[in-house]
Amino acid sequence: MILEARDVTVRYGGLVALDGVSLAVPDRSIVGLIGPNGAGKTTFFGVLSGLVRPRAGTVALAGADVTRRSPQARARLGLARTFQRLELFGELTVREHVLLAHRQGRGSPFTRFARDLVGLGARTDPEEDAAVTSVLELFGLAAAADRPAAALGLGTGRLVELARAVATRPRVLLLDEPSSGLDARETAQLAEVLRRLRDDRDVALVLVEHDVEMVLSLARRVTVLDFGQVIAEGTPDEIRADAAVQAAYLGTTT
Amino acid sequence: MTLYVVTGLVVGSVYAIATLGLVLTYSSTRVFNFAHGAIAYFLAVVFYELTVEHGWDGRVAGAATILVVSPLLGLALWAVLFRRLADTPPPVRLVSTIGLWVALPALTRIVFEGDRYERPSMVFDPPHQYRLLGVGVDSNQVAVVVAAAVIAVAMTILLRATPFGLAVRATVDAPRMAAVVGVNTSLVSAGAWMVGTTLAGVAGVLLGSYRGFDEVQFTFLVLGSFAAVVIARMHSLVLAFAGSILLGLVQELSKSTRVTDFLGGFVDSQSVWVRGLPASIPFLVMLVFLLAYRGLGRERFVVAAPAADDDDAPPTRAPAAWRRILPVVCCLAAVAVAPAFLSGLWEGIVAKGLALGIVFLSYTVVTGEGGMISLCQVTFAGLAASVTADLATNHGMDVLVAVPLAALAAVPIGLVAALPSLRLGDLYLALATLAFAVLVQNTFFELDWVANDGVGIAVPRPEGFGDDLPFYYLLVALFTVTAVVVRNLKRSTTGLELAATRSSEPATATIGVSVERTKLFAFGASAFLAGAGGGLYAVYGGFADPDQYDVLIGVVWLAVVVTWGVRSIAGALLAGLAFAVFPQLVTEHLSSTWRELPTVLFGLGAIGLAREPRGVVHQVVHGHRDRRRRRVERRAARAAVAAP
Ligand SMILES: Nc1ncnc2c1ncn2[C@@H]1O[C@H](COP(=O)(O)OP(=O)(O)O)[C@@H](O)[C@H]1O
Ligand SMILES: [Mg+2]
């Protein structure tokens, strides 16, 4: 298991946003997480990535307990994520997003800061250039590379978030509704990119999606949340057939 | 002892009145009003003028000040300033009220000249005297305590049990929703500012009659109430009240002989560490509570990020490199040829501006790049200036070696000042740096070897730069070197990290950047720059005089820099020049009444940020392009509407 959460509980005041939720993500696999709005999916991602401190439960990354580790420490251990509400760096260009993510975890921060002060920090070496360019091309962002993020549309913005996450060379990537704001063609392209991430770059993916069909077609296993609780877990076929899911979720959307 | 309990209760009550006003306006509009004390002082002076100068009865004057002038002032300030702040980014919100804090007292001094020595009383004149548990108590003291209690109860009822309170809570939790369900959010925020300003008026009138109208003393007393706001974590009325009373009691009790004798067992009881204690208590308490709250994590303090204003969207293409360095190159070229045209006096003024420009580059790093509001850059400058002077004059070190060494010494001090509050967010960092600055001013700057009977330690000019012209070009060169370093930083990975942090801390952390470490790097670098500039400023003046590094001067510095542009190097240089040149121009061309005019202008400039957060330099260089873009967009929008 590259990522494993056990019995995660989160409370906001009186509201129980997550109630003993567990999830296991095998290496190089796609796992789906679905559920109606307010089910707690985004909160769960917060717990996994270290932004939300759980009341109870543990998170393990590649076998190591990271429940008390900071978000940046988890990132360095190979966890990356995207955000449902875009969290782009408005003043930076698309290329700078990828470059910054790519540079993390290389060298001591102190020597780097010293280099930055004397003016060696702005340079890129050919290897770095190649890596950044390959990520940009993977997401079809080469043409937009020099535009500041604040000037991008929602669809491109989602791709930039993805590119930024992938540039950190993650072993597991959490995607929070990556297809919202994309049209049908872009969604199909996205599904293809996700497959390639898994197959070519050996990244495990956790996919939160409102596009249930996309999840069921991509994921090896799917977990269904409702009101902070797991109401079903299984293969896509099992989930399709599950009566509780039908009632709580699928039924309401069709 | 009992005597100090009585005065402590009175001081605590004044704190409570001031604090409740701050908590009310913050919790209903999310704007922390740094100008609260300035407003209280202005209103206290209005009261003084009405009674002493115009002979009004104290009660009439007090009632007029509190019930008429205060709410009207609140309404006026809301209309011109506070109203606009709701939709601005948090740093702009902070800086705007800091601008008011700079402008208002200076304006007060222009409008109401002269000194105020009398002690008019609002309530009982003359007061009745009682004896209570063996100490004398007068009826005015009782009135202050009663007023605080009544106000606390009234505020609680106002916020908990009236439609206004309900509307306030709705507005704070979800302004758009509140507007949708029919709450008039403008009315709510105007009302909150009127009540808040009225409470500032009550605090001002009572404090003035109790402690006198000396501006500096007055300002620092009201600043002390910020500690109670921290105790209350900006929200809790109960904690605000209890914290204020506690603060007043501790502060007064620290004056009692029992405490000074006790401290005398450890340090000389005549030393600054004991003498400076009472005035320092609120700021010590504030730092203690910041440390205590640090563990609670950041969530509780998060200021909701405002929705992006479409009008503020950056251009689709980044401006070309030459365009970005053009302003600073032009300015430096002008400065370099200036001595050919300037008299000796004006050459000196420009040199002063250059030294200050180096200090101001520290704001470019900490505020412009780091997005943090620091109110203690002046303290780093002052500390380094004193250390420079000591090394050079008392230990015979070359000045050009002493300046960077002293600046290095400022770095760990800066890290210590920033560390406790870094995780708590912008507002708490600003408050912590303010507390730190006041503490250093009350202690270190008062030390005999630092203050040196009010003139400071003499600093020689560096070897070979004794004459004015070589020294001038030395400053030009040093500013240029510093500017290059700052520009390197802006363009480097660290610069990218800082820009990322300003946009989204969660996203920055989840790509593996330690937000805290990045901010500490920026803060440390800025402490170095402030220290280096402060040392050179002392070399320019010939003395490391702590009075030149007063907290309130630092507040003006911040206002000047943000006015000219805290994001650009040219902004720092122009701000330094403006700070040096404006006062001289006023001295030469206007009567002494207008001595405070530059300060008013600097404050107004910072207030103006609510309109143009990127400062004057940005306006001049990019303004036409922004305007053209907006014009094009408006035309497109109109066309879109017109089309069927
Ligand atoms: N910071 C927060 N404070 C209070 N309640 C929150 C917070 N974040 C989420 N919630 C609540 O927790 C529940 C789960 O939200 P979320 O995780 O965003 O659900 P989902 O992503 O599945 O739509 C919702 O009821 C939401 O209102
Ligand atoms: Mg969600």
Side-chain angles (χ1 to χ4, degrees):
Chain A
M1 293 296 148
I2 179 69
L3 180 66
E4 196 166 8
R6 282 213 189 136
D7 302 325
V8 169
T9 299
V10 171
R11 288 213 184 99
Y12 290 117
L15 177 91
V16 184
L18 289 174
D19 187 5
V21 175
S22 299
L23 181 80
V25 184
D27 283 318
R28 290 183 287 279
S29 68
I30 299 181
V31 168
L33 181 63
I34 58 176
N37 266 336
K41 306 177 297 290
T42 297
T43 306
F44 190 55
F45 271 15
V47 172
L48 294 178
S49 55
L51 296 172
V52 175
R53 195 173 298 177
R55 177 68 63 96
T58 58
V59 179
L61 188 56
D65 183 358
V66 294
T67 316
R68 313 214 143 268
R69 305 292 298 275
S70 64
Q72 60 269 22
R74 297 181 200 205
R76 281 184 223 117
L77 288 171
L79 181 92
R81 68 167 290 180
T82 65
F83 294 86
Q84 179 179 4
R85 231 197 71 215
L86 289 188
E87 297 277 353
L88 292 172
F89 309 138
E91 295 168 34
L92 302 191
T93 64
V94 173
R95 180 188 299 279
E96 284 167 337
H97 277 76
V98 174
L99 184 66
L100 184 59
H102 177 80
R103 280 185 179 166
Q104 290 316 312
R106 320 201 133 198
S108 140
F110 292 94
T111 48
R112 210 201 56 211
F113 185 60
R115 283 167 54 89
D116 285 354
L117 288 177
V118 296
L120 299 171
R123 292 205 202 134
T124 56
D125 57 52
E127 190 195 331
E128 192 175 59
D129 260 343
V132 168
T133 308
S134 95
V135 173
L136 288 173
E137 278 169 359
L138 179 66
F139 295 99
L141 288 168
D146 292 318
R147 298 180 62 190
L152 301 175
L154 182 62
T156 322
R158 291 234 173 269
L159 293 178
V160 175
E161 282 229 338
L162 255 169
R164 177 178 68 188
V166 167
T168 62
R169 297 170 298 278
R171 300 173 66 190
V172 56
L173 173 53
L174 316 178
L175 303 166
D176 201 347
E177 311 224 355
S179 83
S180 73
L182 304 190
D183 61 28
R185 193 181 53 89
E186 288 170 327
T187 307
Q189 281 174 352
L190 175 73
E192 185 47 39
V193 170
L194 297 186
R195 275 196 199 94
R196 278 173 56 193
L197 281 178
R198 175 192 56 188
D199 299 339
D200 301 351
R201 296 197 178 223
D202 294 343
V203 185
L205 303 174
V206 184
L207 186 57
V208 162
E209 259 299 338
H210 59 256
D211 182 345
V212 178
E213 271 317 308
M214 177 178 167
V215 178
L216 294 180
S217 69
L218 279 172
R220 167 147 46 135
R221 294 194 75 84
V222 176
T223 298
V224 187
L225 277 184
D226 195 14
F227 291 112
Q229 288 181 323
V230 176
I231 57 166
E233 200 277 329
T235 63
D237 289 336
E238 288 164 3
I239 296 299
R240 274 202 183 86
D242 191 298
V245 179
Q246 295 278 343
Y249 184 49
L250 295 177
T252 61
T253 60
T254 50
Chain B
M1 215 60 180
T2 332
L3 174 70
Y4 292 108
V5 172
V6 171
T7 54
L9 277 177
V10 178
V11 171
S13 298
V14 174
Y15 280 146
I17 297 168
T19 307
L20 290 171
L22 277 165
V23 169
L24 170 76
T25 46
Y26 181 80
S27 56
S28 50
T29 64
R30 285 291 179 272
V31 175
F32 183 86
N33 186 10
F34 277 92
H36 202 65
I39 293 173
Y41 182 69
F42 173 82
L43 292 167
V45 170
V46 168
F47 166 70
Y48 185 98
E49 292 292 315
L50 289 178
T51 46
V52 177
E53 302 297 331
H54 292 83
W56 291 25
D57 179 73
R59 280 174 224 200
V60 178
T65 308
I66 291 170
L67 297 175
V68 181
V69 181
S70 303
L72 285 180
L73 179 67
L75 188 64
L77 289 174
W78 173 78
V80 301
L81 175 61
F82 298 132
R83 186 164 56 95
R84 296 180 194 285
L85 294 181
D87 296 324
T88 54
V92 174
R93 248 183 272 175
L94 291 180
V95 166
S96 295
T97 69
I98 289 175
L100 185 59
W101 177 15
V102 168
L104 194 56
L107 196 65
T108 312
R109 267 168 276 156
I110 293 179
V111 177
F112 306 107
E113 281 181 277
D115 295 315
R116 280 164 276 275
Y117 297 116
E118 291 188 38
R119 291 278 180 88
S121 167
M122 174 190 166
V123 196
F124 302 103
D125 204 3
H128 310 285
Q129 301 286 345
Y130 310 104
R131 285 201 77 75
L132 191 75
L133 299 174
V135 293
V137 179
D138 79 40
S139 51
N140 279 330
Q141 292 178 316
V142 177
V144 173
V145 178
V146 171
V150 168
I151 287 172
V153 172
M155 293 286 294
T156 311
I157 294 173
L158 179 70
L159 284 179
R160 298 246 167 95
T162 62
F164 176 77
L166 189 66
V168 163
R169 263 173 287 148
T171 308
V172 168
D173 289 343
R176 297 224 166 123
M177 277 313 279
V180 168
V181 300
V183 174
N184 186 336
T185 50
S186 296
L187 206 63
V188 168
S189 92
W193 284 107
M194 286 169 75
V195 178
T197 310
T198 302
L199 292 185
V202 178
V205 169
L206 292 177
L207 185 60
S209 11
Y210 182 55
R211 279 285 162 93
F213 292 81
D214 175 71
E215 190 196 330
V216 173
Q217 241 199 349
F218 193 102
T219 306
F220 281 101
L221 244 144
V222 182
L223 277 186
S225 64
F226 288 4
V229 184
V230 169
I231 295 175
R233 289 195 237 139
M234 308 283 160
H235 291 112
S236 158
L237 292 177
V238 177
L239 281 177
F241 188 79
S244 300
I245 300 292
L246 179 84
L247 216 56
L249 284 174
V250 176
Q251 187 168 22
E252 290 299 308
L253 282 172
S254 73
K255 293 178 184 165
S256 76
T257 45
R258 221 179 270 185
V259 173
T260 48
D261 287 350
F262 172 75
L263 291 174
F266 303 95
V267 287
D268 177 9
S269 61
Q270 289 308 306
S271 72
V272 293
W273 309 106
V274 178
R275 273 188 290 129
L277 184 65
S280 305
I281 290 279
F283 304 96
L284 274 174
V285 170
M286 195 195 302
L287 290 183
V288 168
F289 272 85
L290 285 171
L291 271 177
Y293 287 160
R294 181 183 146 88
L296 292 180
R298 174 175 182 121
E299 293 89 357
R300 287 161 194 264
F301 298 119
V302 165
V303 180
D309 184 350
D310 291 336
D311 235 21
D312 255 0
T316 44
R317 230 161 25 85
W322 66 267
R323 206 188 236 300
R324 269 178 283 157
I325 59 167
L326 185 67
V328 68
V329 170
C330 291
C331 293
L332 273 174
V335 167
V337 299
F341 308 98
L342 293 178
S343 68
L345 171 74
W346 277 99
E347 192 187 296
I349 301 276
V350 175
K352 179 179 174 180
L354 283 165
L356 276 171
I358 296 177
V359 179
F360 289 0
L361 280 173
S362 80
Y363 291 96
T364 312
V365 173
V366 73
T367 306
E369 296 304 301
M372 299 173 273
I373 304 289
S374 163
L375 294 171
C376 63
Q377 301 304 102
V378 71
T379 311
F380 303 144
L383 282 167
S386 296
V387 174
T388 302
D390 186 51
L391 289 175
T393 302
N394 302 337
H395 297 90
M397 191 182 279
D398 190 278
V399 174
L400 286 181
V401 180
V403 167
L405 268 186
L408 266 184
V411 173
I413 295 169
L415 299 184
V416 169
L419 203 55
S421 53
L422 215 46
R423 277 167 64 180
L424 298 178
D426 302 329
L427 174 53
Y428 285 89
L429 181 73
L431 289 172
T433 54
L434 176 66
F436 178 77
V438 175
L439 287 178
V440 173
Q441 176 162 327
N442 284 345
T443 53
F444 183 82
F445 285 0
E446 294 284 329
L447 289 173
D448 285 338
W449 69 268
V450 175
N452 197 18
D453 293 326
V455 289
I457 317 165
V459 201
R461 291 219 175 146
E463 204 78 37
F465 296 94
D467 290 335
D468 285 345
L469 201 59
F471 185 63
Y472 181 96
Y473 281 107
L474 176 68
L475 286 174
V476 174
L478 289 175
F479 180 88
T480 310
V481 170
T482 318
V484 169
V485 171
V486 171
R487 184 170 157 72
N488 287 341
L489 191 69
K490 280 163 81 115
R491 289 154 40 97
S492 70
T493 315
T494 307
L496 294 181
E497 288 175 355
L498 288 168
T501 305
R502 285 199 307 276
S503 295
S504 167
E505 293 191 7
T508 310
T510 51
I511 60 169
V513 179
S514 163
V515 169
E516 212 164 332
R517 194 195 67 219
T518 305
K519 287 189 167 183
L520 274 181
F521 275 158
F523 210 89
S526 88
F528 181 88
L529 294 179
L536 291 170
Y537 188 49
V539 177
Y540 158 81
F543 288 91
D545 175 9
D547 289 348
Q548 298 287 325
Y549 305 95
D550 190 282
V551 178
L552 299 177
I553 291 180
V555 177
V556 183
W557 284 1
L558 175 64
V560 184
V561 185
V562 296
T563 302
W564 288 92
V566 76
R567 300 295 310 280
S568 78
I569 290 167
L573 178 57
L574 289 170
L577 295 174
F579 192 84
V581 167
F582 277 23
Q584 184 63 24
L585 281 178
V586 168
T587 314
E588 286 189 8
H589 298 289
L590 295 173
S591 73
S592 66
T593 316
W594 298 102
R595 214 179 21 177
E596 300 282 351
L597 185 65
T599 312
V600 175
L601 292 178
F602 297 150
L604 289 179
I607 292 172
L609 285 197
R611 279 171 195 274
E612 174 47 66
R614 285 160 298 190
V616 174
V617 173
H618 181 93
Q619 266 296 301
V620 173
V621 183
H622 304 290
H624 67 98
R625 223 174 33 152
D626 287 2
R627 274 191 299 278
R628 192 172 51 206
R629 202 187 71 241
R630 273 177 219 164
R631 216 166 31 236
V632 170
E633 281 167 4
R634 263 202 304 276
R635 211 171 295 144
R638 266 201 302 275
V641 171

